[in-house]
Amino acid sequence: MGAGIFVTINQASAAAGSAFLLALPIGAIVAGLSGLSSVELGIRYPKSGGAYEFGRVLISPVVGFIGGWLYLLGGITASSTFAIAFTGYFNLLLPGVSLKLATIVLIAFATAFNYFGVRTSSLVNGLLVITKVGVLVGFVIIGIPSVSMVNFQPFDPGNIGGLFRASALMVFAYAGFARPVTLVEEVSCPQKTLPQAMFSALFIASALYFATSSVAIGVLGSNAIEQSKAPLSKAAVSFAGYPGEIVVSIGALTAIGSVLLTEVLALSRVVFAMARGGDLPAWLAVVHPRYLVPARAVILVGLFIILPALYATLGTVITASSLTFLIYYALMNICALRLKDKQIYNRLIPIGGLATALILAFALPLESAIINAVVVVIGIAYYYWVKPFINKNR
């Protein structure tokens, strides 16, 4: 949690103005419903791979493959989104440094920490989480006295299209709830750990996101937020001067770094699961004998994140990633509805999760649908024409 608010606040503000504050609870509800379905599936089928494994078991192998394929697309574009946003805050700290070089170094570090094992990346991530949460809490406490109600005007919740689009973008900020299920094999006591992690993270992140966004709008107004590449740092300048800008920028960089660590971790486990299941080349399922991680999958994920991070625009990758995650959530809810035995949660949970994910998906621009459609077509072509050739030579 944390990085999403640094990345999505200007895009959501552009969609709905100051009324995007209402998109935060809407996004939390959508993520929460789908998160509960994910938790139930993870408890019932504790194998790494997320929707890839669930789709294979509960629907069909090709649906499972598409679920894994979409998760990889969503995760890679999300990671690229964070890397692009990283440059906006990085440029405030070290202007003049090559932003492309900074992006490559950031992704290389996230890849390297994951290569050396889950314990190493978890320890580093824990330190980064403490830093980013501390910065956001400080931002809220120090910024509250500078909030002006005038800056919340105009407040137009009647713009349903803009509000739903902002809500879809805020689902991106909550996308981390899908990650623990993708590596459930490495989670101790998933029956207890998964629901505790989901509920606590959703509550804390929602409260922190709403407080941070409210202060930012109350200080700057939605127009200024929309036009800034580093909106929280710009808000901090207005009430804490240059030192505030520096501290918030450091918080943004640590937040983005921590999320990239977990993204590479989750994506590499999906690649590992797909390779183990015969849907990707077998060499990607090789586990490092010392670090006990799918090292080749980790490296491949890092390389694929770099490409769009260097050449795509923030608006393009964030909407494409948001749509991918909404489709992925819809698939998770369909899988939960396919469970035959007594379910942990009421069936209204996956029904609500499926309906809300599809509603928000239609609020996103056509460009994101085209990107997802092209990737799905490529995936299907790979599944039916390339994979048989690879498996024949395994």
Side-chain angles (χ1 to χ4, degrees):
M1 58 158 252
I5 202 64
F6 287 102
V7 174
T8 58
I9 185 172
N10 53 356
Q11 300 292 317
S13 180
S18 58
F20 96 85
L21 290 174
L22 299 178
L24 289 160
I26 294 174
I29 291 170
V30 175
L33 291 171
S34 297
L36 286 172
S37 294
S38 302
V39 166
E40 174 144 26
L41 290 165
I43 292 172
R44 297 283 289 274
Y45 299 98
K47 291 187 68 176
S48 294
Y52 168 71
E53 287 292 344
F54 309 144
R56 278 170 49 121
V57 173
L58 294 167
I59 304 178
S60 71
V62 66
V63 171
F65 172 82
I66 292 173
W69 193 259
L70 284 172
Y71 185 85
L72 293 178
L73 168 65
I76 288 170
T77 52
S79 300
S80 301
T81 299
F82 289 123
I84 293 169
F86 175 90
T87 62
Y89 288 95
F90 183 85
N91 192 50
L92 294 176
L93 292 176
L94 295 172
V97 175
S98 170
L99 297 182
K100 287 189 175 182
L101 177 61
T103 300
I104 293 172
V105 171
L106 170 69
I107 298 170
F109 270 110
T111 304
F113 278 117
N114 276 283
Y115 185 92
F116 292 116
V118 173
R119 184 173 297 276
T120 300
S121 61
S122 296
L123 290 172
V124 173
N125 188 55
L127 294 173
L128 295 177
V129 167
I130 292 171
T131 302
K132 68 185 179 183
V133 171
V135 168
L136 289 176
V137 170
F139 175 90
V140 171
I141 293 173
I142 299 172
I144 284 176
S146 300
V147 169
S148 171
M149 299 306 295
V150 174
N151 289 325
F152 289 92
Q153 301 301 323
F155 191 87
D156 182 21
N159 178 13
I160 300 300
L163 180 60
F164 278 9
R165 181 173 179 179
S167 300
L169 294 173
M170 294 317 300
V171 167
F172 172 90
Y174 292 109
F177 297 108
R179 291 182 205 130
V181 179
T182 64
L183 55 143
V184 67
E185 287 182 45
E186 301 169 67
V187 174
S188 299
C189 190
Q191 297 89 341
K192 180 180 179 181
T193 305
L194 286 180
Q196 281 185 347
M198 206 281 290
F199 281 117
S200 60
L202 182 61
F203 175 78
I204 296 171
S206 298
L208 196 55
Y209 284 177
F210 190 83
T212 303
S213 300
S214 298
V215 169
I217 288 182
V219 169
L220 286 182
S222 60
N223 287 335
I225 289 175
E226 173 187 340
Q227 296 166 10
S228 176
K229 292 183 178 180
L232 296 189
S233 292
K234 184 173 182 179
V237 170
S238 65
F239 60 77
Y242 181 69
E245 178 184 52
I246 297 299
V247 171
V248 170
S249 296
I250 291 173
L253 299 184
T254 57
I256 292 168
S258 70
V259 169
L260 272 177
L261 280 175
T262 58
E263 282 285 11
V264 173
L265 175 65
L267 289 168
S268 64
R269 294 330 185 255
V270 174
V271 171
F272 166 77
M274 295 178 74
R276 182 176 59 183
D279 286 323
L280 289 177
W283 57 270
L284 289 169
V286 175
V287 176
H288 194 285
R290 178 178 177 184
Y291 302 120
L292 303 178
V293 299
R296 295 172 181 174
V298 170
I299 294 172
L300 184 69
V301 165
L303 292 174
F304 270 94
I305 292 171
I306 286 176
L307 295 176
L310 292 178
Y311 301 107
T313 62
L314 180 61
T316 298
V317 291
I318 196 171
T319 54
S321 182
S322 297
L323 179 58
T324 306
F325 279 122
L326 286 167
I327 298 171
Y328 180 84
Y329 287 161
L331 179 58
M332 294 284 263
N333 286 295
I334 292 172
C335 289
L337 286 170
R338 300 273 294 184
L339 293 171
K340 300 297 183 184
D341 301 330
K342 184 178 179 180
Q343 294 178 278
I344 301 172
Y345 305 114
N346 191 289
R347 287 180 66 83
L348 290 176
I349 296 296
I351 291 173
L354 175 60
T356 53
L358 292 178
I359 290 171
L360 294 189
F362 281 102
L364 289 168
L366 179 62
E367 179 187 27
S368 58
I370 293 173
I371 293 172
N372 276 267
V374 169
V375 171
V376 169
V377 169
I378 293 172
I380 293 173
Y382 168 87
Y383 186 86
Y384 284 109
W385 288 295
V386 178
K387 191 189 81 165
F389 175 77
I390 293 175
N391 288 344
K392 183 179 179 181
N393 295 280
R394 283 172 82 100

